[in-house]
Amino acid sequence: MGLEKTLDDIERKGIELGKEEIAGRMIAEGMDDQLIAKITGFSLKKVEQLRKQIQ
């Protein structure tokens, strides 16, 4: 059980990081926060946080 949970956590973290990378590219291209949130499934607050990190 412990190993499966650890692997699941690693997989989820990898997916999250991939989505953050894509969101970062979208931000760099000047895309709208609402569209980014819709496509990535992130909240607007999360997209705004990512935008602040990039700029």
Side-chain angles (χ1 to χ4, degrees):
M1 282 278 193
L3 179 60
E4 284 181 31
K5 180 170 178 5
T6 300
L7 291 174
D8 285 344
D9 291 345
I10 291 169
E11 182 179 16
R12 283 190 189 110
K13 183 65 176 172
I15 291 168
E16 183 80 7
L17 289 173
K19 286 174 31 176
E20 287 179 4
E21 182 179 340
I22 296 298
R25 290 180 185 173
M26 295 170 76
I27 290 167
E29 290 295 320
M31 295 182 84
D32 178 70
D33 287 359
Q34 292 212 359
L35 180 59
I36 296 169
K38 182 178 180 180
I39 291 171
T40 62
F42 289 152
S43 67
L44 279 175
K45 184 176 181 178
K46 173 76 173 182
V47 175
E48 290 167 2
Q49 290 173 343
L50 291 171
R51 187 176 292 282
K52 287 179 185 175
Q53 290 176 357
I54 291 171
Q55 295 174 346

Short mmCIF file of all heavy atoms in Angstrom, two decimals:
data_model
loop_
_atom_site.label_atom_id
_atom_site.label_comp_id
_atom_site.label_asym_id
_atom_site.label_seq_id
_atom_site.Cartn_x
_atom_site.Cartn_y
_atom_site.Cartn_z
N MET A 1 0.82 -1.20 0.00
CA MET A 1 0.00 0.00 0.00
C MET A 1 0.86 1.26 0.00
O MET A 1 0.59 2.18 -0.73
CB MET A 1 -0.93 0.01 1.22
CG MET A 1 -2.12 -0.87 1.08
SD MET A 1 -3.38 0.01 0.16
CE MET A 1 -4.76 -1.01 0.47
N GLY A 2 1.87 1.33 0.82
CA GLY A 2 2.70 2.51 0.93
C GLY A 2 3.40 2.85 -0.38
O GLY A 2 3.48 4.02 -0.77
N LEU A 3 3.93 1.84 -1.06
CA LEU A 3 4.63 2.08 -2.33
C LEU A 3 3.67 2.58 -3.40
O LEU A 3 4.00 3.51 -4.14
CB LEU A 3 5.32 0.80 -2.80
CG LEU A 3 6.08 0.89 -4.11
CD1 LEU A 3 7.17 1.96 -4.02
CD2 LEU A 3 6.68 -0.44 -4.48
N GLU A 4 2.49 2.00 -3.45
CA GLU A 4 1.50 2.44 -4.45
C GLU A 4 1.11 3.90 -4.22
O GLU A 4 1.00 4.67 -5.18
CB GLU A 4 0.25 1.56 -4.39
CG GLU A 4 0.44 0.21 -5.01
CD GLU A 4 -0.83 -0.61 -4.96
OE1 GLU A 4 -1.93 -0.04 -5.01
OE2 GLU A 4 -0.71 -1.86 -4.87
N LYS A 5 0.91 4.28 -2.97
CA LYS A 5 0.55 5.66 -2.66
C LYS A 5 1.68 6.60 -3.05
O LYS A 5 1.45 7.66 -3.62
CB LYS A 5 0.20 5.83 -1.19
CG LYS A 5 -0.17 7.27 -0.85
CD LYS A 5 -0.73 7.42 0.51
CE LYS A 5 -1.07 8.82 0.92
NZ LYS A 5 -0.95 9.89 0.00
N THR A 6 2.90 6.21 -2.75
CA THR A 6 4.06 7.04 -3.09
C THR A 6 4.14 7.22 -4.61
O THR A 6 4.36 8.33 -5.09
CB THR A 6 5.35 6.40 -2.56
OG1 THR A 6 5.26 6.30 -1.13
CG2 THR A 6 6.56 7.24 -2.91
N LEU A 7 3.95 6.15 -5.35
CA LEU A 7 4.00 6.23 -6.81
C LEU A 7 2.87 7.10 -7.35
O LEU A 7 3.08 7.89 -8.28
CB LEU A 7 3.96 4.84 -7.43
CG LEU A 7 5.21 3.98 -7.19
CD1 LEU A 7 4.99 2.57 -7.72
CD2 LEU A 7 6.44 4.60 -7.80
N ASP A 8 1.69 6.97 -6.77
CA ASP A 8 0.56 7.81 -7.18
C ASP A 8 0.85 9.28 -6.91
O ASP A 8 0.56 10.14 -7.74
CB ASP A 8 -0.73 7.41 -6.44
CG ASP A 8 -1.34 6.13 -6.97
OD1 ASP A 8 -0.96 5.70 -8.09
OD2 ASP A 8 -2.20 5.57 -6.28
N ASP A 9 1.44 9.56 -5.75
CA ASP A 9 1.79 10.95 -5.41
C ASP A 9 2.82 11.52 -6.38
O ASP A 9 2.72 12.66 -6.81
CB ASP A 9 2.34 11.04 -3.98
CG ASP A 9 1.28 10.79 -2.92
OD1 ASP A 9 0.06 10.83 -3.24
OD2 ASP A 9 1.66 10.55 -1.75
N ILE A 10 3.80 10.70 -6.74
CA ILE A 10 4.82 11.14 -7.70
C ILE A 10 4.19 11.41 -9.06
O ILE A 10 4.50 12.41 -9.71
CB ILE A 10 5.94 10.08 -7.81
CG1 ILE A 10 6.75 10.04 -6.50
CG2 ILE A 10 6.85 10.36 -9.01
CD1 ILE A 10 7.69 8.86 -6.40
N GLU A 11 3.30 10.53 -9.48
CA GLU A 11 2.63 10.71 -10.77
C GLU A 11 1.80 11.99 -10.78
O GLU A 11 1.85 12.78 -11.72
CB GLU A 11 1.74 9.51 -11.08
CG GLU A 11 1.05 9.62 -12.43
CD GLU A 11 0.19 8.41 -12.75
OE1 GLU A 11 -0.13 7.62 -11.84
OE2 GLU A 11 -0.18 8.27 -13.92
N ARG A 12 1.03 12.21 -9.72
CA ARG A 12 0.21 13.43 -9.63
C ARG A 12 1.08 14.68 -9.65
O ARG A 12 0.74 15.67 -10.30
CB ARG A 12 -0.64 13.41 -8.36
CG ARG A 12 -1.82 12.50 -8.47
CD ARG A 12 -2.77 12.68 -7.30
NE ARG A 12 -3.78 11.65 -7.34
CZ ARG A 12 -3.88 10.66 -6.47
NH1 ARG A 12 -3.09 10.61 -5.44
NH2 ARG A 12 -4.82 9.74 -6.60
N LYS A 13 2.19 14.64 -8.94
CA LYS A 13 3.10 15.80 -8.90
C LYS A 13 3.67 16.06 -10.30
O LYS A 13 3.78 17.21 -10.73
CB LYS A 13 4.22 15.56 -7.88
CG LYS A 13 5.16 16.71 -7.73
CD LYS A 13 4.48 17.94 -7.15
CE LYS A 13 5.46 19.04 -6.92
NZ LYS A 13 4.85 20.30 -6.54
N GLY A 14 4.02 15.01 -11.01
CA GLY A 14 4.54 15.15 -12.37
C GLY A 14 3.51 15.77 -13.30
O GLY A 14 3.84 16.64 -14.11
N ILE A 15 2.28 15.33 -13.17
CA ILE A 15 1.20 15.88 -14.00
C ILE A 15 1.01 17.36 -13.67
O ILE A 15 0.88 18.20 -14.57
CB ILE A 15 -0.10 15.08 -13.81
CG1 ILE A 15 0.06 13.69 -14.42
CG2 ILE A 15 -1.30 15.82 -14.40
CD1 ILE A 15 -1.04 12.71 -14.06
N GLU A 16 1.02 17.69 -12.39
CA GLU A 16 0.85 19.08 -11.95
C GLU A 16 1.98 19.97 -12.50
O GLU A 16 1.74 21.06 -13.01
CB GLU A 16 0.83 19.15 -10.41
CG GLU A 16 0.59 20.51 -9.85
CD GLU A 16 -0.87 20.93 -9.87
OE1 GLU A 16 -1.74 20.11 -10.19
OE2 GLU A 16 -1.12 22.09 -9.54
N LEU A 17 3.20 19.48 -12.43
CA LEU A 17 4.33 20.25 -12.94
C LEU A 17 4.23 20.45 -14.45
O LEU A 17 4.55 21.52 -14.98
CB LEU A 17 5.65 19.57 -12.58
CG LEU A 17 6.04 19.62 -11.11
CD1 LEU A 17 7.28 18.77 -10.85
CD2 LEU A 17 6.26 21.04 -10.64
N GLY A 18 3.77 19.43 -15.16
CA GLY A 18 3.58 19.54 -16.60
C GLY A 18 2.53 20.58 -16.95
O GLY A 18 2.71 21.39 -17.87
N LYS A 19 1.45 20.59 -16.19
CA LYS A 19 0.40 21.59 -16.42
C LYS A 19 0.90 22.99 -16.10
O LYS A 19 0.57 23.94 -16.82
CB LYS A 19 -0.84 21.25 -15.58
CG LYS A 19 -1.62 20.06 -16.11
CD LYS A 19 -2.77 19.59 -15.27
CE LYS A 19 -3.50 20.56 -14.45
NZ LYS A 19 -4.67 20.02 -13.74
N GLU A 20 1.73 23.11 -15.06
CA GLU A 20 2.30 24.42 -14.73
C GLU A 20 3.21 24.91 -15.86
O GLU A 20 3.22 26.09 -16.19
CB GLU A 20 3.06 24.36 -13.42
CG GLU A 20 2.16 24.27 -12.21
CD GLU A 20 2.92 24.19 -10.90
OE1 GLU A 20 4.16 24.27 -10.89
OE2 GLU A 20 2.24 24.04 -9.86
N GLU A 21 3.97 24.01 -16.44
CA GLU A 21 4.84 24.37 -17.56
C GLU A 21 4.02 24.86 -18.75
O GLU A 21 4.34 25.87 -19.36
CB GLU A 21 5.72 23.19 -17.96
CG GLU A 21 6.69 23.52 -19.08
CD GLU A 21 7.56 22.35 -19.47
OE1 GLU A 21 7.73 21.41 -18.68
OE2 GLU A 21 8.09 22.39 -20.59
N ILE A 22 2.97 24.14 -19.07
CA ILE A 22 2.09 24.54 -20.17
C ILE A 22 1.45 25.89 -19.88
O ILE A 22 1.40 26.77 -20.74
CB ILE A 22 1.00 23.47 -20.43
CG1 ILE A 22 1.64 22.16 -20.88
CG2 ILE A 22 -0.04 23.97 -21.42
CD1 ILE A 22 2.40 22.23 -22.19
N ALA A 23 0.96 26.06 -18.65
CA ALA A 23 0.36 27.34 -18.26
C ALA A 23 1.38 28.47 -18.40
O ALA A 23 1.05 29.56 -18.87
CB ALA A 23 -0.17 27.28 -16.84
N GLY A 24 2.61 28.20 -18.02
CA GLY A 24 3.67 29.21 -18.16
C GLY A 24 3.89 29.60 -19.61
O GLY A 24 4.07 30.78 -19.92
N ARG A 25 3.86 28.65 -20.48
CA ARG A 25 4.01 28.94 -21.92
C ARG A 25 2.83 29.76 -22.43
O ARG A 25 3.00 30.66 -23.25
CB ARG A 25 4.13 27.65 -22.71
CG ARG A 25 5.44 26.93 -22.48
CD ARG A 25 5.50 25.66 -23.28
NE ARG A 25 6.70 24.92 -22.95
CZ ARG A 25 6.95 23.71 -23.40
NH1 ARG A 25 6.09 23.11 -24.20
NH2 ARG A 25 8.06 23.09 -23.07
N MET A 26 1.65 29.42 -21.95
CA MET A 26 0.45 30.15 -22.37
C MET A 26 0.52 31.59 -21.87
O MET A 26 0.17 32.53 -22.60
CB MET A 26 -0.80 29.44 -21.83
CG MET A 26 -1.00 28.07 -22.45
SD MET A 26 -2.29 27.10 -21.64
CE MET A 26 -3.73 27.92 -22.31
N ILE A 27 0.99 31.78 -20.64
CA ILE A 27 1.16 33.12 -20.09
C ILE A 27 2.17 33.90 -20.93
O ILE A 27 1.94 35.06 -21.28
CB ILE A 27 1.59 33.04 -18.62
CG1 ILE A 27 0.42 32.54 -17.75
CG2 ILE A 27 2.09 34.40 -18.12
CD1 ILE A 27 0.81 32.13 -16.34
N ALA A 28 3.28 33.26 -21.27
CA ALA A 28 4.31 33.91 -22.07
C ALA A 28 3.79 34.33 -23.45
O ALA A 28 4.25 35.32 -24.02
CB ALA A 28 5.52 32.98 -22.23
N GLU A 29 2.81 33.59 -23.94
CA GLU A 29 2.20 33.92 -25.24
C GLU A 29 1.11 34.98 -25.12
O GLU A 29 0.50 35.37 -26.11
CB GLU A 29 1.64 32.66 -25.90
CG GLU A 29 2.70 31.69 -26.38
CD GLU A 29 3.56 32.26 -27.49
OE1 GLU A 29 3.02 32.95 -28.38
OE2 GLU A 29 4.78 32.00 -27.48
N GLY A 30 0.84 35.42 -23.89
CA GLY A 30 -0.12 36.48 -23.68
C GLY A 30 -1.57 36.02 -23.62
O GLY A 30 -2.48 36.83 -23.80
N MET A 31 -1.78 34.76 -23.36
CA MET A 31 -3.14 34.25 -23.32
C MET A 31 -3.86 34.73 -22.05
O MET A 31 -3.24 34.99 -21.04
CB MET A 31 -3.14 32.72 -23.39
CG MET A 31 -2.61 32.21 -24.73
SD MET A 31 -2.66 30.42 -24.85
CE MET A 31 -4.35 30.23 -25.36
N ASP A 32 -5.16 34.79 -22.14
CA ASP A 32 -6.03 35.25 -21.07
C ASP A 32 -6.06 34.25 -19.91
O ASP A 32 -6.10 33.04 -20.13
CB ASP A 32 -7.44 35.43 -21.64
CG ASP A 32 -8.44 35.87 -20.61
OD1 ASP A 32 -8.34 37.03 -20.17
OD2 ASP A 32 -9.32 35.06 -20.27
N ASP A 33 -6.07 34.77 -18.67
CA ASP A 33 -6.07 33.92 -17.49
C ASP A 33 -7.26 32.96 -17.46
O ASP A 33 -7.13 31.81 -17.07
CB ASP A 33 -6.06 34.76 -16.21
CG ASP A 33 -4.72 35.42 -15.95
OD1 ASP A 33 -3.77 35.21 -16.74
OD2 ASP A 33 -4.62 36.15 -14.94
N GLN A 34 -8.43 33.44 -17.86
CA GLN A 34 -9.61 32.59 -17.82
C GLN A 34 -9.48 31.42 -18.79
O GLN A 34 -9.88 30.29 -18.47
CB GLN A 34 -10.86 33.41 -18.11
CG GLN A 34 -11.14 34.37 -16.99
CD GLN A 34 -12.62 34.63 -16.80
OE1 GLN A 34 -13.46 34.11 -17.51
NE2 GLN A 34 -12.92 35.44 -15.82
N LEU A 35 -8.92 31.66 -19.95
CA LEU A 35 -8.71 30.58 -20.92
C LEU A 35 -7.69 29.59 -20.38
O LEU A 35 -7.87 28.38 -20.49
CB LEU A 35 -8.27 31.14 -22.27
CG LEU A 35 -8.01 30.12 -23.37
CD1 LEU A 35 -9.27 29.29 -23.64
CD2 LEU A 35 -7.53 30.80 -24.63
N ILE A 36 -6.62 30.10 -19.79
CA ILE A 36 -5.59 29.22 -19.22
C ILE A 36 -6.20 28.34 -18.13
O ILE A 36 -5.96 27.14 -18.08
CB ILE A 36 -4.41 30.05 -18.67
CG1 ILE A 36 -3.71 30.78 -19.82
CG2 ILE A 36 -3.43 29.15 -17.92
CD1 ILE A 36 -2.70 31.82 -19.36
N ALA A 37 -7.01 28.95 -17.27
CA ALA A 37 -7.66 28.20 -16.20
C ALA A 37 -8.58 27.13 -16.77
O ALA A 37 -8.60 25.99 -16.30
CB ALA A 37 -8.44 29.15 -15.29
N LYS A 38 -9.30 27.48 -17.80
CA LYS A 38 -10.24 26.53 -18.42
C LYS A 38 -9.49 25.34 -19.02
O LYS A 38 -9.89 24.19 -18.85
CB LYS A 38 -11.06 27.23 -19.49
CG LYS A 38 -12.07 26.36 -20.17
CD LYS A 38 -12.88 27.14 -21.19
CE LYS A 38 -13.90 26.25 -21.87
NZ LYS A 38 -14.69 27.00 -22.85
N ILE A 39 -8.40 25.61 -19.71
CA ILE A 39 -7.66 24.55 -20.39
C ILE A 39 -6.90 23.67 -19.40
O ILE A 39 -6.87 22.45 -19.55
CB ILE A 39 -6.71 25.16 -21.44
CG1 ILE A 39 -7.53 25.74 -22.59
CG2 ILE A 39 -5.71 24.12 -21.95
CD1 ILE A 39 -6.73 26.55 -23.58
N THR A 40 -6.27 24.28 -18.38
CA THR A 40 -5.45 23.51 -17.45
C THR A 40 -6.24 22.91 -16.29
O THR A 40 -5.78 21.97 -15.65
CB THR A 40 -4.35 24.40 -16.85
OG1 THR A 40 -4.96 25.47 -16.11
CG2 THR A 40 -3.41 24.93 -17.90
N GLY A 41 -7.42 23.48 -16.03
CA GLY A 41 -8.19 23.03 -14.87
C GLY A 41 -7.76 23.72 -13.59
O GLY A 41 -8.25 23.41 -12.51
N PHE A 42 -6.82 24.66 -13.70
CA PHE A 42 -6.38 25.43 -12.53
C PHE A 42 -7.43 26.49 -12.19
O PHE A 42 -8.18 26.94 -13.05
CB PHE A 42 -5.06 26.15 -12.80
CG PHE A 42 -3.85 25.26 -12.89
CD1 PHE A 42 -2.76 25.62 -13.66
CD2 PHE A 42 -3.79 24.06 -12.21
CE1 PHE A 42 -1.63 24.83 -13.74
CE2 PHE A 42 -2.67 23.25 -12.29
CZ PHE A 42 -1.59 23.63 -13.05
N SER A 43 -7.41 26.92 -10.94
CA SER A 43 -8.26 28.04 -10.54
C SER A 43 -7.64 29.33 -11.08
O SER A 43 -6.44 29.36 -11.42
CB SER A 43 -8.34 28.12 -9.01
OG SER A 43 -7.08 28.46 -8.47
N LEU A 44 -8.45 30.37 -11.14
CA LEU A 44 -7.92 31.67 -11.57
C LEU A 44 -6.82 32.13 -10.62
O LEU A 44 -5.83 32.72 -11.05
CB LEU A 44 -9.03 32.72 -11.63
CG LEU A 44 -9.88 32.71 -12.88
CD1 LEU A 44 -11.02 33.72 -12.76
CD2 LEU A 44 -9.05 33.00 -14.11
N LYS A 45 -7.00 31.87 -9.34
CA LYS A 45 -5.99 32.25 -8.35
C LYS A 45 -4.65 31.58 -8.64
O LYS A 45 -3.60 32.22 -8.58
CB LYS A 45 -6.47 31.89 -6.94
CG LYS A 45 -5.55 32.33 -5.84
CD LYS A 45 -6.13 32.03 -4.47
CE LYS A 45 -5.18 32.52 -3.40
NZ LYS A 45 -5.72 32.31 -2.06
N LYS A 46 -4.67 30.30 -8.99
CA LYS A 46 -3.45 29.56 -9.33
C LYS A 46 -2.80 30.16 -10.57
O LYS A 46 -1.58 30.34 -10.61
CB LYS A 46 -3.79 28.08 -9.55
CG LYS A 46 -2.66 27.24 -10.06
CD LYS A 46 -1.68 26.92 -8.98
CE LYS A 46 -0.63 25.93 -9.49
NZ LYS A 46 0.31 25.55 -8.47
N VAL A 47 -3.58 30.49 -11.58
CA VAL A 47 -3.04 31.09 -12.80
C VAL A 47 -2.41 32.45 -12.48
O VAL A 47 -1.32 32.76 -12.96
CB VAL A 47 -4.12 31.21 -13.90
CG1 VAL A 47 -3.58 31.95 -15.12
CG2 VAL A 47 -4.65 29.84 -14.30
N GLU A 48 -3.07 33.23 -11.65
CA GLU A 48 -2.53 34.54 -11.26
C GLU A 48 -1.21 34.36 -10.51
O GLU A 48 -0.26 35.13 -10.72
CB GLU A 48 -3.54 35.29 -10.41
CG GLU A 48 -4.75 35.75 -11.20
CD GLU A 48 -5.90 36.23 -10.32
OE1 GLU A 48 -5.76 36.26 -9.07
OE2 GLU A 48 -6.95 36.59 -10.89
N GLN A 49 -1.12 33.36 -9.64
CA GLN A 49 0.13 33.09 -8.92
C GLN A 49 1.24 32.71 -9.89
O GLN A 49 2.38 33.18 -9.76
CB GLN A 49 -0.07 31.97 -7.90
CG GLN A 49 -0.92 32.35 -6.73
CD GLN A 49 -1.25 31.16 -5.83
OE1 GLN A 49 -1.11 29.99 -6.23
NE2 GLN A 49 -1.70 31.45 -4.62
N LEU A 50 0.93 31.88 -10.86
CA LEU A 50 1.92 31.49 -11.86
C LEU A 50 2.37 32.70 -12.67
O LEU A 50 3.56 32.86 -12.96
CB LEU A 50 1.36 30.41 -12.79
CG LEU A 50 1.13 29.04 -12.16
CD1 LEU A 50 0.37 28.13 -13.11
CD2 LEU A 50 2.44 28.40 -11.75
N ARG A 51 1.43 33.56 -13.02
CA ARG A 51 1.75 34.77 -13.79
C ARG A 51 2.73 35.65 -13.01
O ARG A 51 3.70 36.17 -13.55
CB ARG A 51 0.49 35.53 -14.14
CG ARG A 51 0.75 36.72 -15.08
CD ARG A 51 -0.53 37.41 -15.48
NE ARG A 51 -1.39 36.62 -16.35
CZ ARG A 51 -1.19 36.45 -17.65
NH1 ARG A 51 -0.17 37.02 -18.25
NH2 ARG A 51 -2.04 35.73 -18.36
N LYS A 52 2.51 35.78 -11.70
CA LYS A 52 3.40 36.60 -10.85
C LYS A 52 4.79 35.99 -10.78
O LYS A 52 5.78 36.71 -10.76
CB LYS A 52 2.81 36.75 -9.45
CG LYS A 52 1.63 37.68 -9.40
CD LYS A 52 1.06 37.77 -8.00
CE LYS A 52 -0.20 38.62 -8.00
NZ LYS A 52 -0.85 38.62 -6.67
N GLN A 53 4.86 34.67 -10.75
CA GLN A 53 6.16 33.98 -10.69
C GLN A 53 6.95 34.19 -11.98
O GLN A 53 8.17 34.31 -11.94
CB GLN A 53 5.97 32.48 -10.47
CG GLN A 53 5.48 32.11 -9.09
CD GLN A 53 5.22 30.63 -8.96
OE1 GLN A 53 5.35 29.86 -9.91
NE2 GLN A 53 4.82 30.22 -7.77
N ILE A 54 6.24 34.23 -13.08
CA ILE A 54 6.90 34.35 -14.39
C ILE A 54 7.38 35.78 -14.64
O ILE A 54 8.42 35.99 -15.22
CB ILE A 54 5.96 33.86 -15.50
CG1 ILE A 54 5.80 32.34 -15.37
CG2 ILE A 54 6.48 34.22 -16.88
CD1 ILE A 54 4.75 31.76 -16.27
N GLN A 55 6.58 36.74 -14.22
CA GLN A 55 6.92 38.13 -14.52
C GLN A 55 7.85 38.73 -13.55
O GLN A 55 8.43 38.51 -12.72
CB GLN A 55 5.66 38.98 -14.57
CG GLN A 55 4.78 38.55 -15.70
CD GLN A 55 3.42 39.27 -15.71
OE1 GLN A 55 3.03 39.89 -14.74
NE2 GLN A 55 2.73 39.16 -16.82
#
